[in-house]
Each structure stands twice: as C-alpha cells, then as structure tokens.
Amino acid sequence: MQKHLNDKGKVLSAILVVAVVILLVELVMPNKNDEAASTLHKNSLETLPVSFEPMEGFEESPLRHSIILKERADKEVTRKQAVAKQNEIDQQEKSIYLTFDDGPSAVSDQLLDILDDYQMKATFFMIGPNIKEHSKSVVRMKKEGFGLGLHGITHEAGKIYSSPSAPVDEMSEDRDILENVTGVRSNLIRLPYGSIPYLTEDMRYLLDKSDFKVWDWNVDSRDWELKDRRYVQHTKQEIDRYMQAGVTPVVLLHDKPHTIEYLPELLSYIKKQGYQTKVLTNEQPPVTFQCEGRCHSIS
C-alpha cells in the first residue's frame, strides 16, 4: 500500500510540473506575439510611400486655379472696401498721391530739391540696381519722409513676367536691396508698365503671399510719351476730373530729366488748388488694375 501511494504521489508531482511549464509558456508567448506584431506594424509603416511634395499636376490643375480665384475674389472685396474708406479720408483732406517710377537717377537730388521747395511729398518706385548706384539719394528720401517703393530689378517685360514666380523673385531682391541701404522694409510695389495685362492671377497670388501691395495709378501723366510741357496740362486736367468725381488721384510720373524740367509748373498748380500731397504706406490699401479677363501670360 505504501509503495502504491508513493507511485501515485510521483504521478501527481509530474502532472504539477507539466502544468507549471505550460503556464509559463503561455505567459511568455503573448509577449513574443506582441513583439512580432509590433515589428510587422513598424516595417509596414516604413515601407509606405509617404511624400510631402505637391501632387504631380496639382500646380497646373483646374482645382488649384479655382482655389486661387476664390481667394483673390474674397480679398478683392476687402480691398475695395478699404480703398473706399481711405478715399473718404483723402477727399476730406483734398489729398493726392504723386508717384515717380524708374529711379533713382543722376537727377533724383534735383527732383527732391524741387519737391522740398514746394513742400510736397511723393512716393518713389525704384529699381534695385539704381538703388545701389544712387544710394545717397535714397537715404536722403528716407530722411526727408518720402515714400519708398519697389519697381523690380530688370524692368524688362520678357524677364519680370517670364514665369509665375518671376515677379515675386524680382521684388523680393529689390526689397532686400532697399532694406540694406535704408533699413526700410517696403511692401509697396509697382510692376513695370503696370499690372495689366501680363500680371496673371498666379503671379498676383504669389505676390500676395509675400505681403506685397501692387500699386498702379489712375492718372497717367504721359510724361514718358509727351516729354514736354504738354504732360503738365494733361495731368492738371486729369487731376481735376478725378477730384470732381470724388476719386483721389494717384499720379504716375517718372524720375527723368524731361519730367523734372516742367515739374515746378505742375506743383505750382497743385499748391494753388489747395491739394495736399501724401506718401503711400505699407498699411494702405492699394489702387490696383483688375484683370477682368484681360490678364494673360506674356509667352
């Protein structure tokens, strides 16, 4: 009997050992399975083709173009409201804005002297290489409180309108040059020959993203065409016409000898009429030509 009990105890002990082994195996195996699953998940993620580049074709897609047009339309509503509000203020003050393109030049100091003599202000839209060449005149403009704007680098339509990014590239370079010379960071730009017809919606979108304000004009003095006293008479008539219509004149002039020669006659008239000349600022809503279906690529 004693031997039978001992044999039975040995059997029970063996069964107990097997049970313990099985339990340990069950405890260990799930961890291994989890590790395997984790490894599989990690490897799967590593092999997924993830890219942060724009989808091929999206830049030229109708969807992107419609998005740009929608954003531009919304901002145009806001711009027109701001322009109308600024116009009310300017009309009460009998303000006009004189703007000079293509400088600075060898005659810029003479131009500044004439403006100082008549106690009048103006905004200068300047070309980058000219700023470097006539930096002393630009520093004087800043010290005397004139407006400082940008007119690009090349002044060549075939270059500044050559691609969607070309205008913003030229204006950014011009802005850096002006800032290095004066410490002023200007967002005021005027495209060579105006923004119609070659400044496309894509170009306007990129300029807007860089905080540039596209300024055109509503009074063309035609000094670039007439080059004599006739431009003065034409400009006087246009200023009066816009003032009578309740629209603040933004006058296009050029930093050129033939303009300067007859400028005192124009400034005398402005002073006699009691008009106040002001400078453009980064905060001011711009007067800008609108595409209205007229804008197209130069190529």
Side-chain angles (χ1 to χ4, degrees):
M1 175 66 72
Q2 183 68 36
K3 180 180 179 182
H4 178 69
L5 290 174
N6 289 339
D7 291 341
K8 191 174 183 180
K10 290 178 180 179
V11 172
L12 291 173
S13 297
I15 292 172
L16 181 61
V17 169
V18 171
V20 170
V21 170
I22 292 172
L23 179 62
L24 290 174
V25 170
E26 289 295 324
L27 291 173
V28 172
M29 285 302 293
N31 291 333
K32 291 184 176 179
N33 290 337
D34 289 345
E35 291 176 4
S38 176
T39 301
L40 178 61
H41 181 63
K42 181 179 178 181
N43 290 339
S44 298
L45 288 177
E46 289 176 349
T47 57
L48 283 175
V50 179
S51 174
F52 295 99
E53 296 298 320
M55 289 187 299
E56 185 177 354
F58 180 71
E59 291 296 317
E60 304 298 329
S61 69
L63 175 58
R64 180 180 182 275
H65 188 63
S66 65
I67 291 172
I68 289 175
L69 289 179
K70 178 63 167 60
E71 288 187 15
R72 291 280 308 152
D74 291 343
K75 290 191 175 182
E76 180 58 15
V77 171
T78 302
R79 185 195 69 84
K80 285 183 176 180
Q81 292 172 345
V83 168
K85 185 176 181 180
Q86 180 65 47
N87 188 71
E88 290 180 6
I89 297 172
D90 289 336
Q91 286 294 297
Q92 292 173 0
E93 298 174 347
K94 295 188 69 174
S95 299
I96 67 173
Y97 296 91
L98 302 178
T99 65
F100 291 86
D101 286 9
D102 297 353
S105 71
V107 295
S108 289
D109 281 331
Q110 183 183 348
L111 171 55
L112 294 173
D113 289 341
I114 295 171
L115 289 167
D116 287 344
D117 287 342
Y118 286 88
Q119 298 180 318
M120 293 191 181
K121 296 299 181 185
T123 299
F124 293 86
F125 289 98
M126 297 175 285
I127 300 171
N130 293 358
I131 294 174
K132 290 181 178 180
E133 185 177 356
H134 303 285
S135 59
K136 290 183 179 180
S137 296
V138 182
V139 171
R140 178 184 170 185
M141 291 174 189
K142 178 201 171 184
K143 288 182 178 179
E144 296 185 4
F146 291 96
L148 306 179
L150 313 169
H151 202 40
I153 300 296
T154 64
H155 207 278
E156 294 182 27
K159 292 182 178 180
I160 196 168
Y161 300 114
S162 62
S163 71
S165 64
V168 74
D169 290 342
E170 283 209 20
M171 293 303 175
S172 295
E173 183 179 351
D174 196 5
R175 178 163 62 183
D176 290 342
I177 292 171
L178 178 64
E179 187 171 10
N180 288 337
V181 170
T182 66
V184 173
R185 187 170 179 80
S186 177
N187 294 333
L188 310 175
I189 69 171
R190 175 170 286 160
L191 278 300
Y193 317 109
S195 65
I196 296 292
Y198 299 131
L199 193 71
T200 64
E201 291 292 356
D202 282 348
M203 294 174 182
R204 292 169 187 264
Y205 176 80
L206 294 175
L207 287 167
D208 185 63
K209 289 297 181 183
S210 294
D211 295 325
F212 287 118
K213 303 288 183 67
V214 180
W215 276 91
D216 287 306
W217 59 85
N218 51 31
V219 173
D220 182 354
S221 70
R222 294 174 60 197
D223 60 339
W224 54 274
E225 176 188 11
L226 300 174
K227 298 182 180 181
D228 57 27
R229 180 173 279 106
R230 289 175 297 167
Y231 95 77
V232 175
Q233 185 60 33
H234 168 74
T235 305
K236 289 179 346 183
Q237 292 173 350
E238 287 296 287
I239 289 174
D240 284 348
R241 185 167 71 89
Y242 274 88
M243 279 296 198
Q244 291 170 8
V247 178
T248 302
V250 178
V251 185
L252 170 67
L253 295 152
H254 293 82
D255 187 342
K256 302 289 185 182
H258 58 261
T259 299
I260 294 172
E261 182 178 356
Y262 302 101
L263 185 61
E265 183 179 339
L266 176 60
L267 299 187
S268 294
Y269 174 79
I270 291 172
K271 191 168 188 177
K272 183 178 179 181
Q273 297 301 115
Y275 297 145
Q276 175 187 188
T277 56
K278 294 167 65 175
V279 300
L280 305 176
T281 68
N282 283 339
E283 296 73 31
Q284 197 167 343
V287 171
T288 309
F289 300 149
Q290 295 305 296
C291 280
E292 297 176 347
R294 297 175 294 167
C295 296
H296 58 84
S297 173
I298 195 171
S299 58

